[in-house]
Amino acid sequence: MSVVLGYGESPGAARALRIAVEVAAAFDERLVLVYGAAAPGPSGEEYRSHYDAIREVGRTGLEHAVVEADRAGVPAIVEVIDEKPAQALIDAATRHAARVIVVGSWGESPIRGALLGSTPHKLLHMSSVPVLCVPPEE
């Protein structure tokens, strides 16, 4: 089994990373760090530059997460997946037989998440794997 973490540079990311590392260490499981890198729009002149930029942002953020996992002695792998974040996390959770998906929240209201389609909100409704939503630090 594994622990899947949706990681990016959001306000809740640092705390979500700490919690995911703690959970993976407690169960002696691998941490799968996932970044959903679907570029906006399926085509067009700017698509390639958006695609490359989004993937690079994801890889940079995930490098920090790998360092933190290494410090805690938790084995980690990185996946930058060309899908929207919620679907990328669900797919990774299926492939890696995840015990739980951990994702940081922005501390937004439930109504805003429902209307705008936040990743945590989507996961809570779409995932068959338990989802742990970690709020940002106070």
Side-chain angles (χ1 to χ4, degrees), residues 22-112:
E22 288 175 14
V23 172
F27 288 101
D28 195 28
E29 292 179 348
R30 178 178 54 191
L31 180 61
V32 181
L33 302 160
V34 176
Y35 185 85
S43 62
E45 227 174 271
E46 297 177 344
Y47 173 79
R48 189 77 207 158
S49 62
H50 282 154
Y51 174 80
D52 292 341
I54 289 169
R55 290 183 64 83
E56 184 57 33
V57 165
R59 287 194 189 285
T60 300
L62 292 172
E63 287 172 10
H64 165 75
V66 168
V67 169
E68 293 301 314
D70 285 346
R71 275 191 203 143
V74 172
I77 63 169
V78 168
E79 290 193 6
V80 177
I81 301 172
D82 295 330
E83 293 183 35
K84 292 181 180 178
Q87 191 59 53
L89 290 165
I90 290 169
D91 291 351
T94 299
R95 278 194 319 282
H96 295 282
R99 174 181 303 275
V100 64
I101 298 172
V102 180
V103 65
S105 72
W106 291 63
E108 62 191 16
S109 74
I111 292 175
R112 180 179 165 97

Side-chain angles (χ1 to χ4, degrees), residues 5 7-8 10-22 64 102-105 132-138:
L5 170 65
Y7 191 79
S10 70
R15 188 169 185 210
L17 173 59
R18 284 196 311 274
I19 298 298
V21 167
E22 288 175 14
H64 165 75
V102 180
V103 65
S105 72
L132 174 57
C133 293
V134 180
E137 308 223 36
E138 300 276 332

